[in-house]
Amino acid sequence: MVRIAAACGDFASLRAAVARCEACPLSKTRTQTVFADGPERADVLFIGEAPGESEDLLGVPFVGESGKMLTGIIEKGMGLPRAQVLIVDALKCRPPHDRAPSVEETRACTPWLDRQVALAAPKVLIPLGTLASNHVLGLAGSEQRSLGSLRERVHEREARSIVPTFHPSYLLRTPEAKKDCWKDIQLAMGLLGLAPKRGG
Ligand code: URA
């Protein structure tokens, strides 16, 4: 898998390889793989957890309710068109009934995400939620940390800046966390040289 991913020199060939992936049992239950939304190269890369029902049906990440929340963060908060940022999930297939992805499923999908990051060459990665944040920071098993201990700061890993924040579905359930999410987004905006558009 690592070799197949590394051999993909652009998004089109990587997308096609992901669509054929049978590295874990999620390949048997998916409608289709969910590769990415946005340009191949982007300054900002948002990384979610795994596709939900709407994403599995449409083949595009973050198109359901949490997608509307994410679009608001990008467009109203950061002042960027959603089409200008790249959005991917750590896992490319929907887990049945939206259960949490297993360690093995997450590990099996890692080469695809690593290759997406390499090709997109983003200035800033914004992992959304605990799973994506630990995953992107390379924290596994007993090294895993709570999101609370990872956010509100910039991490540097493999010469990339990483700004973990809340998952949009958490923000839908916990609107009072939006002001803390906004602090993270402002950190990312500072790295990108973007001026804040609004508070909260
Ligand atoms: N939640 C995610 O983490 N990703 C999606 O694409 C949709 C919901």
Side-chain angles (χ1 to χ4, degrees), residues 13-53:
S13 59
L14 189 60
R15 183 189 290 272
V18 167
R20 290 191 299 270
C21 182
E22 294 184 349
C24 85
L26 297 183
S27 62
K28 301 200 171 28
T29 51
R30 71 185 179 218
T31 304
Q32 60 191 315
T33 52
V34 176
F35 181 71
D37 190 27
E40 176 160 346
R41 288 184 78 90
D43 284 347
V44 193
L45 172 58
F46 285 91
I47 304 170
E49 184 173 308
E53 184 179 20

Side-chain angles (χ1 to χ4, degrees), residues 56-195:
D56 173 71
L57 290 172
L58 289 171
V60 180
F62 284 99
V63 288
E65 282 308 306
S66 51
K68 283 187 203 152
M69 173 66 74
L70 180 59
T71 304
I73 292 170
I74 297 164
E75 301 204 330
K76 293 202 198 106
M78 301 178 82
L80 295 173
R82 173 170 161 145
Q84 199 174 308
V85 308
L86 181 60
I87 302 170
V88 305
D89 279 316
L91 274 85
K92 311 303 181 210
C93 299
R94 180 192 182 197
H97 311 295
D98 300 322
R99 64 159 170 75
S102 71
V103 173
E104 293 74 24
E105 290 158 357
T106 309
R107 196 179 297 134
C109 233
T110 301
W112 302 134
L113 178 63
D114 287 350
R115 193 66 189 137
Q116 283 180 311
V117 173
L119 290 172
K123 287 187 184 148
V124 182
L125 280 77
I126 306 181
L128 304 166
T130 312
L131 181 141
S133 298
N134 276 287
H135 188 56
V136 166
L137 289 166
L139 302 171
S142 59
E143 299 162 336
Q144 287 193 68
R145 308 256 302 268
S146 68
L147 184 62
S149 69
L150 296 175
R151 44 169 300 279
E152 272 198 85
R153 64 196 175 94
V154 180
H155 303 254
E156 299 292 337
R157 183 165 187 250
E158 293 168 2
R160 302 200 191 283
S161 299
I162 301 170
V163 183
T165 195
F166 297 105
H167 192 284
S169 64
Y170 177 80
L171 297 176
L172 287 170
R173 295 192 304 274
T174 320
E176 59 274 20
K178 283 192 212 169
K179 62 180 185 319
D180 288 327
C181 176
W182 178 233
K183 289 185 198 161
D184 301 329
I185 296 299
Q186 282 179 293
L187 273 181
M189 289 172 69
L191 296 169
L192 294 160
L194 296 172

